[in-house]
Amino acid sequence: MLNIHNLSISFQGEYLFEDISFKLGLGDRIGLIGKNGAGKSTMLRILSKEQEADSGQMAADKDMNIGFLKQDIDFDLGKTVLEESYQAFKEIKKCEVKLEEINTQLAERTDYESEAYHQLMVDLNDIQHQYEILGGYNYQGETEKILQGLGFKREDFNKLTDTFSGGWRMRIELAKLLLQNNDLLLLDEPTNHLDIESIIWLENFLKGYSGAVVIVSHDKMFLDNVTNRTIEISLGRIYDYSKPYSQFLELRKEMKIQQLAAQKNQEKQIQQTEKLIEKFRAKASKATMAQSLIKKLDKIDRIEVDEDDNSVMSLNFPVSITPGKVVVELENVSKSYGDLQVLHNVSLSVPRDVKTAFVGQNGQGKSTLAKIIVGELEHEGTLKLGHNVQIGYFAQNQAEYLDGNKTVLDTMIDAANETNRSKVRDILGSFLFRGEEADKYVRVLSGGERNRLALAKLLLQPLNVLIMDEPTNHLDIKSKNVLKEALTKFEGTLILVSHDRDFLQGLTDTVYEFKDQNIKEYLGDIDFYLEQRNLENLREAEKRTVVADKPKESNKQSYEDQKKLKSLNNKLSNIESKISQLEKDIKSDDLRLETDYDKTASDPKFFDDYQDKKKMLSKLMEDWEAVQFELEALS
């Protein structure tokens, strides 16, 4: 499918990777891992043919289609969610334009007997046939199914993409890729902007994907659940094993132990041989033997132990001054986006030096409340910051807060003041931006490097309150651990928005769960919160519906709901089975038309049956939507 041979690429004279080779085949679901800046996103750009390597070859199957989800995307404004999603079907949309043009001409012209009019009829038939083969009668239903799987509601479909956050726009881009039936999917941090339900849906989708998938992600659970192969980029080399992430780590560890043992044994043999050479050199009668041993020693293939890149950033958040006893006080705060109410009469008091976690599904208002506290959003209700409060804010989407046209060094210098400007180079060095790395433009940085730069910027401002919105997005696993350690040692007040249980464990004193436009307080850490909710993990917490926590009217009512839910699910499964069979039958008919049109068209029943199948498929799609709507209403 795709063969990469002796690929090399360098940046400012240093190799990101050199002479690496591997193959991609159908069914490969590869986790591409490595430290921030190791070259993962660069590798994806090379595989997508957006960037050329310095040397090496890349051979691909003819007409192979590649879909690429980047960390940052650009949208044309003015389109609805559906209109933007339909951009995935370029050939179908071209056919629709041609069909409209021909139908307009047929309606306006009156020269029914002319050759030109007859040609229009022939063209109409050809384009209609092509439209059917491309799936023109099914794509709208497929689009809606994918959008709903990624968390969009039916009422979102006709809203402009301009009204959605960057995370939701990323979901639209992901939906477009999943609809295109590409042979190779390249996904750069696909879970960063997804809530738990959407991540689980995407996992199930990718498990059944027939093409090849290459995923860059620092989500260990996602990689373990989806991938069947891991490629690590480290110090310019790659390590390729047919195992998911956690099993790959164990294999790498075992191999390194074996390499060290083999290297140790070889060193003993070499030392013994060298001693014999020295001994034999002293005797003329043994000179020939000494020369033979020297040649043997020269031919030994020295065992090398794989190097590990253990460089990590250094991070410490000093507290500027001591604030008042209460740092943030909210009373009856509400926030709406148009008709969408996100927060309603939320009241909250954050004491000094307390570490708080905001958890809950996407769209429940966690980031909104964080932005209200830092003064980025207007709102209803009262917000009061305490005496001497100095807030440091880490935003979820750093691309919107960093200027891509500045260098790393200029970004820091512009954020510095007279007292700390001389320390900028030292701070950058502790965040692994050393030497020429500081002269990189922000626009060429990976997502993880941008996050490191944003963290470095925080150190240039006085702060005693840290508000961090998904700070682990894009960070590699080692950097996550460094950040967690720094936040654990932080002596100020922390408000942390996250759905990463591993990161939150042991880090916060209080948890606020966001749900149904309001918040609920849990006086303990994340494990206490899960224990109180009687849950195993945050995935389960975020999967639970709001209905599950509402008081039941009666056991009978609950039983009736369960019966109805089961019945609707069975009905939906039955409809989906029929749709799948009809689509196969129609595809088979399309193939008959394409391969032997004359013979097929001579069958008088063929076109009647063909149209009946199309009508039935359309009816089933309507039934599917109706049942899906009932299920949504019930849950």
Side-chain angles (χ1 to χ4, degrees), residues 3-51:
N3 191 0
I4 291 87
H5 183 65
N6 288 343
L7 205 68
S8 299
I9 190 162
S10 60
F11 181 81
Q12 293 181 343
E14 264 187 52
Y15 279 103
L16 272 178
F17 35 82
E18 185 176 12
D19 292 334
I20 62 172
S21 301
F22 60 94
K23 292 180 181 180
L24 299 180
L26 287 173
D28 276 342
R29 294 190 294 277
I30 295 170
L32 185 62
I33 65 169
K35 287 188 59 179
N36 295 140
K40 302 183 299 294
S41 295
T42 300
M43 176 64 78
L44 292 188
R45 286 195 295 272
I46 291 171
L47 294 177
S48 69
K49 301 177 183 176
E50 279 197 5
Q51 183 174 341

Side-chain angles (χ1 to χ4, degrees), residues 54-155:
D54 295 339
S55 62
Q57 295 85 40
M58 191 168 72
D61 289 349
K62 191 179 179 183
D63 301 325
M64 185 176 75
N65 294 317
I66 300 173
F68 183 17
L69 179 73
K70 305 173 190 176
Q71 288 182 12
D72 300 313
I73 54 173
D74 295 318
F75 260 98
D76 293 328
L77 302 181
K79 289 190 176 76
T80 66
V81 171
L82 276 180
E83 286 170 344
E84 183 62 41
S85 301
Y86 290 158
Q87 297 301 305
F89 304 99
K90 291 181 180 177
E91 293 302 315
I92 289 176
K93 299 308 284 184
K94 285 179 184 176
C95 284
E96 286 182 344
V97 171
K98 289 177 182 177
L99 286 172
E100 189 176 348
E101 289 174 353
I102 293 173
N103 282 320
T104 300
Q105 289 187 56
L106 289 173
E108 292 174 352
R109 295 177 65 152
T110 56
D111 53 335
Y112 309 120
E113 303 300 326
S114 69
E115 188 175 331
Y117 194 89
H118 176 71
Q119 186 59 46
L120 280 176
M121 294 292 288
V122 172
D123 292 344
L124 179 65
N125 183 62
D126 289 345
I127 295 169
Q128 280 179 333
H129 178 59
Q130 184 185 1
Y131 187 69
E132 288 172 1
I133 290 173
L134 291 171
Y137 296 108
N138 307 325
Y139 79 95
Q140 293 176 335
E142 281 297 310
T143 302
E144 293 182 12
K145 280 166 66 177
I146 295 286
L147 287 172
Q148 286 177 320
L150 290 173
F152 287 93
K153 296 176 182 175
R154 192 168 294 279
E155 55 264 32

